[in-house]
Coordinates of all heavy atoms in Angstrom, one line a residue:
M1 N -12.8 -17.0 -7.5 CA -11.7 -16.1 -7.8 C -11.7 -14.9 -6.9 O -12.7 -14.3 -6.7 CB -11.8 -15.7 -9.3 CG -10.8 -14.7 -9.7 SD -11.0 -14.3 -11.5 CE -9.5 -13.4 -11.7
T2 N -10.5 -14.5 -6.5 CA -10.4 -13.3 -5.6 C -10.0 -12.1 -6.5 O -9.1 -12.2 -7.3 CB -9.3 -13.5 -4.6 OG1 -9.6 -14.6 -3.8 CG2 -9.2 -12.3 -3.7
F3 N -10.9 -11.1 -6.5 CA -10.6 -9.9 -7.3 C -9.8 -8.9 -6.4 O -10.1 -8.8 -5.2 CB -11.9 -9.3 -7.8 CG -12.6 -10.1 -8.8 CD1 -13.6 -11.0 -8.4 CD2 -12.3 -10.0 -10.1 CE1 -14.3 -11.8 -9.3 CE2 -12.9 -10.8 -11.1 CZ -13.9 -11.7 -10.7
R4 N -9.0 -8.2 -7.1 CA -8.2 -7.2 -6.4 C -8.3 -5.9 -7.2 O -8.4 -5.9 -8.4 CB -6.7 -7.6 -6.3 CG -6.5 -8.8 -5.5 CD -5.0 -9.1 -5.3 NE -4.8 -10.3 -4.6 CZ -4.8 -10.4 -3.2 NH1 -5.0 -9.3 -2.5 NH2 -4.7 -11.5 -2.6
A5 N -8.3 -4.7 -6.5 CA -8.4 -3.4 -7.1 C -7.5 -2.5 -6.3 O -8.0 -1.6 -5.5 CB -9.8 -2.9 -7.2
P6 N -6.2 -2.6 -6.5 CA -5.3 -1.7 -5.7 C -5.4 -0.2 -6.1 O -5.7 0.1 -7.2 CB -3.9 -2.2 -6.0 CG -4.0 -2.9 -7.3 CD -5.4 -3.4 -7.4
L7 N -5.2 0.6 -5.1 CA -5.2 2.1 -5.3 C -3.8 2.5 -5.6 O -2.8 2.1 -5.0 CB -5.6 2.8 -4.0 CG -7.1 2.8 -3.6 CD1 -7.2 3.5 -2.3 CD2 -8.0 3.4 -4.6
T8 N -3.7 3.4 -6.6 CA -2.4 4.0 -6.9 C -2.5 5.5 -7.1 O -3.6 5.9 -7.6 CB -1.8 3.4 -8.2 OG1 -2.7 3.5 -9.3 CG2 -1.4 2.0 -8.0
N9 N -1.6 6.2 -6.6 CA -1.6 7.7 -6.8 C -0.7 8.1 -7.9 O 0.3 7.5 -8.2 CB -1.1 8.4 -5.5 CG -2.0 8.1 -4.3 OD1 -3.2 8.2 -4.4 ND2 -1.4 7.7 -3.2
H10 N -1.1 9.2 -8.6 CA -0.3 9.6 -9.8 C -0.1 11.1 -9.8 O -0.9 11.9 -9.3 CB -1.1 9.2 -11.0 CG -1.3 7.8 -11.2 ND1 -0.4 7.0 -11.9 CD2 -2.2 6.9 -10.6 CE1 -0.8 5.7 -11.8 NE2 -1.9 5.7 -11.0
H11 N 1.0 11.5 -10.3 CA 1.3 13.0 -10.5 C 0.6 13.5 -11.7 O 0.1 12.7 -12.5 CB 2.8 13.2 -10.7 CG 3.7 12.6 -9.6 ND1 4.8 11.8 -9.8 CD2 3.6 12.8 -8.3 CE1 5.3 11.5 -8.7 NE2 4.6 12.1 -7.7
A12 N 0.5 14.8 -11.9 CA -0.2 15.4 -13.0 C 0.4 14.9 -14.4 O -0.4 14.9 -15.4 CB -0.1 16.9 -12.9
D13 N 1.6 14.6 -14.5 CA 2.2 14.1 -15.7 C 1.9 12.7 -16.0 O 2.4 12.1 -17.0 CB 3.7 14.4 -15.8 CG 4.5 13.7 -14.8 OD1 4.0 12.9 -14.0 OD2 5.8 13.9 -14.7
G14 N 1.2 12.0 -15.1 CA 0.8 10.6 -15.3 C 1.7 9.6 -14.7 O 1.5 8.4 -14.7
T15 N 2.9 10.1 -14.1 CA 3.8 9.2 -13.5 C 3.3 8.7 -12.1 O 2.5 9.4 -11.5 CB 5.2 9.8 -13.3 OG1 5.1 11.0 -12.5 CG2 5.8 10.1 -14.7
L16 N 3.7 7.5 -11.8 CA 3.2 6.9 -10.5 C 3.9 7.7 -9.3 O 5.0 8.1 -9.4 CB 3.7 5.5 -10.4 CG 3.2 4.7 -9.2 CD1 1.7 4.5 -9.3 CD2 3.9 3.3 -9.3
C17 N 3.1 8.0 -8.4 CA 3.5 8.7 -7.1 C 3.8 7.6 -6.1 O 2.9 6.9 -5.7 CB 2.5 9.7 -6.6 SG 3.0 10.7 -5.2
P18 N 5.1 7.4 -5.8 CA 5.5 6.3 -4.9 C 4.7 6.3 -3.6 O 4.3 7.4 -3.1 CB 7.0 6.5 -4.7 CG 7.4 7.3 -5.8 CD 6.3 8.2 -6.2
A19 N 4.6 5.1 -3.0 CA 3.8 5.0 -1.7 C 4.5 5.8 -0.6 O 3.8 6.2 0.3 CB 3.7 3.5 -1.3
D20 N 5.8 6.0 -0.7 CA 6.5 6.7 0.4 C 6.3 8.2 0.3 O 6.8 9.0 1.1 CB 8.0 6.4 0.5 CG 8.8 6.8 -0.7 OD1 8.2 6.9 -1.8 OD2 10.0 7.0 -0.5
H21 N 5.7 8.7 -0.8 CA 5.3 10.1 -0.9 C 4.0 10.4 -0.2 O 3.0 10.0 -0.6 CB 5.2 10.5 -2.4 CG 6.4 10.7 -3.1 ND1 6.5 11.2 -4.4 CD2 7.7 10.3 -2.8 CE1 7.8 11.2 -4.8 NE2 8.5 10.6 -3.9
K22 N 4.1 11.0 1.0 CA 2.9 11.3 1.7 C 2.3 12.6 1.3 O 3.0 13.5 0.8 CB 3.2 11.3 3.2 CG 3.8 10.0 3.7 CD 2.9 8.8 3.5 CE 3.5 7.5 3.9 NZ 2.7 6.4 3.4
H23 N 1.0 12.8 1.5 CA 0.3 14.0 1.1 C -0.7 14.4 2.2 O -1.1 13.6 3.0 CB -0.5 13.7 -0.2 CG 0.3 13.1 -1.3 ND1 0.4 11.8 -1.4 CD2 1.0 13.7 -2.3 CE1 1.1 11.5 -2.5 NE2 1.5 12.7 -3.0
T24 N -1.1 15.7 2.1 CA -2.2 16.1 2.9 C -3.5 15.6 2.3 O -3.5 15.0 1.2 CB -2.3 17.7 2.9 OG1 -2.6 18.1 1.6 CG2 -1.0 18.3 3.4
S25 N -4.6 15.8 3.0 CA -5.8 15.2 2.5 C -6.2 15.9 1.1 O -7.0 15.3 0.3 CB -7.0 15.4 3.5 OG -7.1 16.8 3.8
S26 N -5.7 17.1 0.8 CA -6.0 17.7 -0.5 C -5.0 17.3 -1.6 O -5.2 17.8 -2.7 CB -6.0 19.2 -0.3 OG -4.7 19.7 0.1
G27 N -4.0 16.5 -1.3 CA -3.1 16.0 -2.3 C -1.8 16.8 -2.3 O -0.9 16.6 -3.1
E28 N -1.7 17.8 -1.4 CA -0.4 18.6 -1.4 C 0.7 17.7 -0.9 O 0.5 17.0 0.1 CB -0.6 19.8 -0.5 CG -1.6 20.8 -1.0 CD -1.2 21.4 -2.3 OE1 0.0 21.8 -2.5 OE2 -2.1 21.5 -3.2
P29 N 1.9 17.8 -1.5 CA 3.0 16.9 -1.1 C 3.6 17.2 0.2 O 3.7 18.4 0.6 CB 4.0 17.1 -2.2 CG 3.7 18.5 -2.7 CD 2.3 18.7 -2.6
L30 N 3.9 16.2 1.0 CA 4.7 16.4 2.2 C 6.1 15.9 2.0 O 7.0 16.0 2.9 CB 4.1 15.6 3.3 CG 2.7 16.1 3.8 CD1 2.1 15.1 4.8 CD2 2.8 17.5 4.3
H31 N 6.4 15.4 0.8 CA 7.7 14.9 0.4 C 8.4 16.0 -0.5 O 7.7 16.5 -1.4 CB 7.6 13.6 -0.3 CG 8.9 12.9 -0.6 ND1 9.7 13.2 -1.6 CD2 9.5 11.8 0.0 CE1 10.7 12.4 -1.6 NE2 10.6 11.5 -0.6
T32 N 9.6 16.3 -0.2 CA 10.2 17.5 -0.9 C 10.4 17.3 -2.4 O 10.4 18.2 -3.2 CB 11.6 17.8 -0.3 OG1 12.4 16.6 -0.4 CG2 11.5 18.2 1.1
D33 N 10.5 16.0 -2.9 CA 10.7 15.8 -4.3 C 9.4 15.4 -5.0 O 9.4 15.0 -6.2 CB 11.7 14.6 -4.5 CG 13.1 14.9 -4.0 OD1 13.4 16.1 -4.0 OD2 13.8 14.0 -3.6
C34 N 8.3 15.6 -4.4 CA 7.0 15.2 -5.0 C 6.2 16.4 -5.5 O 6.1 17.4 -4.8 CB 6.1 14.5 -4.0 SG 4.6 13.8 -4.7
P35 N 5.8 16.4 -6.8 CA 5.0 17.6 -7.2 C 3.5 17.5 -6.7 O 2.8 18.5 -6.9 CB 5.0 17.4 -8.8 CG 5.2 15.9 -9.0 CD 6.0 15.4 -7.8
G36 N 3.1 16.5 -6.1 CA 1.8 16.4 -5.5 C 0.9 15.3 -6.2 O 1.2 15.0 -7.4
R37 N -0.1 14.8 -5.5 CA -1.0 13.8 -6.1 C -2.0 14.5 -6.9 O -2.8 15.4 -6.4 CB -1.6 13.0 -4.9 CG -2.6 12.0 -5.4 CD -3.3 11.2 -4.3 NE -4.2 12.1 -3.6 CZ -4.2 12.3 -2.3 NH1 -3.3 11.7 -1.5 NH2 -5.1 13.1 -1.7
A38 N -2.1 14.2 -8.2 CA -3.1 14.8 -9.1 C -4.4 14.0 -9.1 O -5.5 14.5 -9.2 CB -2.5 15.0 -10.5
Y39 N -4.2 12.7 -9.1 CA -5.4 11.8 -9.1 C -5.0 10.4 -8.5 O -3.8 10.1 -8.4 CB -5.9 11.6 -10.5 CG -5.0 11.0 -11.5 CD1 -4.9 9.7 -11.8 CD2 -4.1 11.8 -12.2 CE1 -4.1 9.1 -12.7 CE2 -3.2 11.3 -13.2 CZ -3.2 10.0 -13.4 OH -2.4 9.4 -14.3
T40 N -6.0 9.7 -8.2 CA -5.9 8.3 -7.6 C -6.6 7.4 -8.6 O -7.7 7.7 -9.1 CB -6.5 8.2 -6.2 OG1 -5.7 9.1 -5.4 CG2 -6.4 6.8 -5.7
R41 N -6.1 6.2 -8.8 CA -6.7 5.3 -9.7 C -6.8 3.9 -9.0 O -6.0 3.5 -8.2 CB -5.8 5.1 -10.9 CG -6.2 4.1 -11.9 CD -5.2 3.9 -13.0 NE -5.1 5.1 -13.8 CZ -4.0 5.4 -14.6 NH1 -3.0 4.6 -14.6 NH2 -4.0 6.5 -15.2
A42 N -7.9 3.2 -9.3 CA -8.1 1.9 -8.9 C -8.5 1.1 -10.1 O -9.3 1.5 -10.9 CB -9.3 1.7 -7.9
V43 N -7.8 -0.1 -10.3 CA -8.0 -0.9 -11.5 C -8.3 -2.3 -10.9 O -7.4 -2.9 -10.3 CB -6.9 -0.9 -12.5 CG1 -7.2 -1.8 -13.6 CG2 -6.6 0.5 -13.0
C44 N -9.4 -2.9 -11.2 CA -9.7 -4.2 -10.7 C -9.2 -5.3 -11.7 O -9.1 -5.0 -12.9 CB -11.3 -4.4 -10.6 SG -11.8 -6.0 -9.9
S45 N -8.9 -6.4 -11.1 CA -8.4 -7.5 -12.0 C -9.5 -8.0 -13.0 O -9.1 -8.7 -13.9 CB -8.0 -8.7 -11.1 OG -9.0 -9.1 -10.2
C46 N -10.7 -7.6 -12.8 CA -11.8 -7.9 -13.8 C -11.8 -6.9 -15.0 O -12.5 -7.1 -16.0 CB -13.1 -7.9 -13.2 SG -13.9 -6.3 -12.8
G47 N -11.0 -5.8 -14.9 CA -11.0 -4.8 -15.9 C -11.7 -3.5 -15.6 O -11.5 -2.5 -16.2
W48 N -12.4 -3.4 -14.5 CA -13.1 -2.2 -14.0 C -12.0 -1.2 -13.6 O -11.0 -1.5 -13.1 CB -14.0 -2.5 -12.8 CG -14.6 -1.4 -12.1 CD1 -15.8 -0.8 -12.4 CD2 -14.1 -0.6 -11.0 NE1 -16.0 0.3 -11.6 CE2 -15.0 0.4 -10.7 CE3 -12.9 -0.7 -10.3 CZ2 -14.8 1.3 -9.7 CZ3 -12.7 0.1 -9.3 CH2 -13.6 1.1 -9.0
K49 N -12.3 0.1 -13.9 CA -11.4 1.2 -13.5 C -12.1 2.4 -13.0 O -13.3 2.7 -13.4 CB -10.6 1.7 -14.8 CG -9.7 0.8 -15.4 CD -9.1 1.4 -16.6 CE -8.5 0.4 -17.6 NZ -7.9 1.0 -18.8
K50 N -11.5 3.1 -12.1 CA -12.0 4.4 -11.6 C -10.8 5.3 -11.4 O -9.8 4.9 -10.8 CB -12.7 4.2 -10.2 CG -13.4 5.4 -9.7 CD -14.5 5.8 -10.7 CE -15.4 6.9 -10.1 NZ -16.4 7.3 -11.1
E51 N -10.9 6.5 -11.8 CA -9.8 7.5 -11.7 C -10.4 8.8 -11.5 O -11.3 9.3 -12.2 CB -9.0 7.5 -13.0 CG -7.9 8.4 -13.0 CD -7.1 8.4 -14.3 OE1 -6.5 7.3 -14.6 OE2 -7.1 9.4 -15.1
E52 N -10.1 9.4 -10.3 CA -10.6 10.8 -9.9 C -9.5 11.5 -9.1 O -8.6 10.8 -8.6 CB -11.9 10.6 -9.1 CG -13.0 10.0 -9.8 CD -13.8 10.9 -10.7 OE1 -13.6 12.2 -10.5 OE2 -14.4 10.4 -11.6
S53 N -9.7 12.8 -8.9 CA -8.8 13.5 -8.1 C -9.0 13.2 -6.6 O -8.1 13.3 -5.8 CB -9.0 15.0 -8.3 OG -10.3 15.4 -8.0
G54 N -10.2 12.8 -6.2 CA -10.5 12.5 -4.8 C -10.1 11.1 -4.4 O -10.8 10.2 -4.8
K55 N -9.1 10.9 -3.6 CA -8.6 9.6 -3.2 C -9.7 8.9 -2.4 O -10.0 7.7 -2.6 CB -7.4 9.7 -2.3 CG -6.8 8.4 -1.9 CD -5.5 8.6 -1.1 CE -4.9 7.3 -0.6 NZ -3.7 7.5 0.1
G56 N -10.4 9.6 -1.5 CA -11.4 8.9 -0.7 C -12.6 8.4 -1.6 O -13.2 7.4 -1.3
Y57 N -13.0 9.2 -2.6 CA -14.0 8.9 -3.5 C -13.7 7.6 -4.3 O -14.5 6.7 -4.4 CB -14.4 10.0 -4.4 CG -15.5 9.7 -5.4 CD1 -16.8 9.4 -5.0 CD2 -15.2 9.5 -6.8 CE1 -17.8 9.1 -5.9 CE2 -16.2 9.2 -7.7 CZ -17.5 9.0 -7.2 OH -18.4 8.7 -8.1
V58 N -12.5 7.6 -4.8 CA -12.0 6.4 -5.5 C -12.0 5.2 -4.6 O -12.4 4.1 -5.0 CB -10.6 6.6 -6.1 CG1 -10.1 5.4 -6.8 CG2 -10.7 7.8 -7.2
N59 N -11.6 5.3 -3.4 CA -11.5 4.2 -2.5 C -13.0 3.7 -2.2 O -13.2 2.5 -2.1 CB -10.8 4.6 -1.2 CG -10.4 3.4 -0.4 OD1 -10.1 2.3 -0.9 ND2 -10.4 3.5 0.9
E60 N -13.9 4.6 -2.0 CA -15.3 4.2 -1.7 C -15.9 3.4 -2.9 O -16.5 2.4 -2.8 CB -16.2 5.4 -1.4 CG -16.0 5.9 0.0 CD -16.3 4.9 1.1 OE1 -17.3 4.2 1.0 OE2 -15.4 4.8 2.0
C61 N -15.6 3.9 -4.2 CA -16.1 3.3 -5.4 C -15.4 1.9 -5.5 O -16.1 0.9 -5.9 CB -15.7 4.1 -6.6 SG -16.7 5.6 -6.7
R62 N -14.2 1.8 -5.2 CA -13.4 0.5 -5.2 C -14.1 -0.5 -4.2 O -14.3 -1.6 -4.6 CB -12.0 0.8 -4.8 CG -11.1 -0.3 -4.6 CD -9.7 0.2 -4.1 NE -9.0 -0.7 -3.3 CZ -9.4 -1.2 -2.1 NH1 -10.4 -0.8 -1.5 NH2 -8.6 -2.1 -1.4
K63 N -14.4 0.0 -3.0 CA -15.0 -0.9 -2.0 C -16.3 -1.4 -2.5 O -16.7 -2.6 -2.4 CB -15.1 -0.2 -0.7 CG -13.8 0.0 0.0 CD -14.0 0.8 1.3 CE -12.7 1.1 2.0 NZ -13.0 1.9 3.2
R64 N -17.1 -0.5 -3.1 CA -18.5 -0.9 -3.6 C -18.3 -1.9 -4.7 O -19.0 -2.9 -4.8 CB -19.3 0.3 -4.1 CG -19.9 1.0 -2.9 CD -21.0 2.0 -3.5 NE -20.4 3.0 -4.3 CZ -19.9 4.2 -3.9 NH1 -19.9 4.4 -2.6 NH2 -19.4 5.0 -4.8
H65 N -17.3 -1.7 -5.6 CA -17.1 -2.6 -6.7 C -16.7 -4.0 -6.2 O -17.2 -5.0 -6.7 CB -16.1 -2.0 -7.7 CG -15.7 -3.0 -8.8 ND1 -16.5 -3.2 -9.8 CD2 -14.6 -3.8 -8.9 CE1 -16.0 -4.1 -10.6 NE2 -14.8 -4.5 -10.1
L66 N -15.7 -4.0 -5.3 CA -15.3 -5.3 -4.8 C -16.4 -6.0 -4.1 O -16.5 -7.3 -4.2 CB -14.1 -5.1 -3.9 CG -12.8 -4.7 -4.6 CD1 -11.7 -4.4 -3.6 CD2 -12.3 -5.8 -5.6
A67 N -17.3 -5.3 -3.4 CA -18.4 -5.9 -2.7 C -19.4 -6.5 -3.7 O -20.0 -7.5 -3.5 CB -19.1 -4.9 -1.9
S68 N -19.5 -5.9 -4.9 CA -20.4 -6.4 -5.9 C -19.9 -7.8 -6.4 O -20.7 -8.6 -6.8 CB -20.6 -5.4 -7.1 OG -19.4 -5.4 -7.9
H69 N -18.6 -8.0 -6.5 CA -18.1 -9.3 -6.8 C -18.5 -10.3 -5.8 O -18.9 -11.4 -6.1 CB -16.5 -9.3 -6.9 CG -16.0 -8.6 -8.2 ND1 -16.3 -9.1 -9.4 CD2 -15.2 -7.6 -8.4 CE1 -15.7 -8.4 -10.3 NE2 -15.0 -7.4 -9.7
A70 N -18.4 -9.9 -4.5 CA -18.7 -10.9 -3.4 C -20.2 -11.2 -3.5 O -20.6 -12.4 -3.2 CB -18.3 -10.2 -2.1
E71 N -21.0 -10.2 -3.8 CA -22.5 -10.5 -3.9 C -22.8 -11.4 -5.0 O -23.6 -12.3 -4.9 CB -23.2 -9.2 -4.1 CG -23.2 -8.3 -2.8 CD -23.8 -6.9 -3.1 OE1 -24.2 -6.6 -4.3 OE2 -23.7 -6.1 -2.2
G72 N -22.1 -11.3 -6.1 CA -22.2 -12.2 -7.3 C -21.9 -13.6 -7.0 O -22.5 -14.5 -7.4
Q73 N -20.9 -13.8 -6.1 CA -20.4 -15.1 -5.8 C -21.4 -15.8 -4.8 O -21.5 -17.0 -4.8 CB -19.0 -15.1 -5.1 CG -17.9 -14.7 -6.1 CD -16.6 -14.5 -5.4 OE1 -16.5 -14.6 -4.2 NE2 -15.6 -14.3 -6.2
N74 N -22.1 -15.0 -4.0 CA -23.0 -15.6 -3.0 C -24.4 -15.7 -3.5 O -25.2 -16.3 -2.9 CB -23.0 -14.7 -1.8 CG -21.7 -14.6 -1.1 OD1 -20.9 -15.6 -1.1 ND2 -21.4 -13.5 -0.4
A75 N -24.7 -15.2 -4.7 CA -26.0 -15.2 -5.2 C -26.3 -16.7 -5.8 O -25.3 -17.3 -6.3 CB -26.2 -14.2 -6.4
P76 N -27.5 -17.2 -5.6 CA -27.8 -18.5 -6.2 C -27.7 -18.4 -7.7 O -28.1 -17.4 -8.3 CB -29.2 -18.8 -5.7 CG -29.8 -17.5 -5.3 CD -28.6 -16.6 -5.0
S77 N -27.2 -19.5 -8.3 CA -27.1 -19.5 -9.8 C -28.5 -19.7 -10.4 O -29.3 -20.4 -9.9 CB -26.2 -20.6 -10.2 OG -26.7 -21.8 -9.8
A78 N -28.7 -19.0 -11.5 CA -30.0 -19.1 -12.3 C -29.8 -20.3 -13.2 O -29.0 -20.3 -14.1 CB -30.2 -17.8 -13.0
S79 N -30.7 -21.4 -13.0 CA -30.6 -22.5 -13.9 C -31.9 -22.7 -14.5 O -33.0 -22.5 -14.1 CB -30.2 -23.8 -13.2 OG -29.8 -23.7 -11.9

């Protein structure tokens, strides 16, 4: 099974921040109608979740989590 954990950005009120809303590295909006990125969320198809204000941190956690699925698939089964 292929697991997926897409990143999504959210405004402070919890609404989704569209992908076309660009931000500075600190989350300040570059789009005139955007209040700014308050947090980034990753949700894996297995149910794992990570939500933090730092987009880079969430992405690193996401990568580690997805790698753990790959390691589990490559490990010999215990019989």
Side-chain angles (χ1 to χ4, degrees):
M1 175 177 191
T2 301
F3 291 95
R4 297 185 181 276
L7 288 176
T8 54
N9 295 315
H10 299 266
H11 301 130
D13 65 1
T15 58
L16 186 64
C17 187
D20 66 332
H21 286 191
K22 301 301 178 192
H23 308 90
T24 64
S25 59
S26 65
E28 295 297 316
L30 295 174
H31 190 278
T32 56
D33 296 331
C34 184
R37 179 183 68 234
Y39 61 92
T40 298
R41 177 185 295 158
V43 179
C44 184
S45 52
C46 76
W48 172 91
K49 296 179 194 175
K50 187 66 175 177
E51 180 178 296
E52 296 284 336
S53 60
K55 182 179 180 179
Y57 177 68
V58 173
N59 195 33
E60 285 300 316
C61 292
R62 174 187 151 291
K63 288 177 183 176
R64 279 194 300 273
H65 174 75
L66 291 172
S68 73
H69 283 302
E71 289 169 6
Q73 291 175 354
N74 295 332
S77 61
S79 351

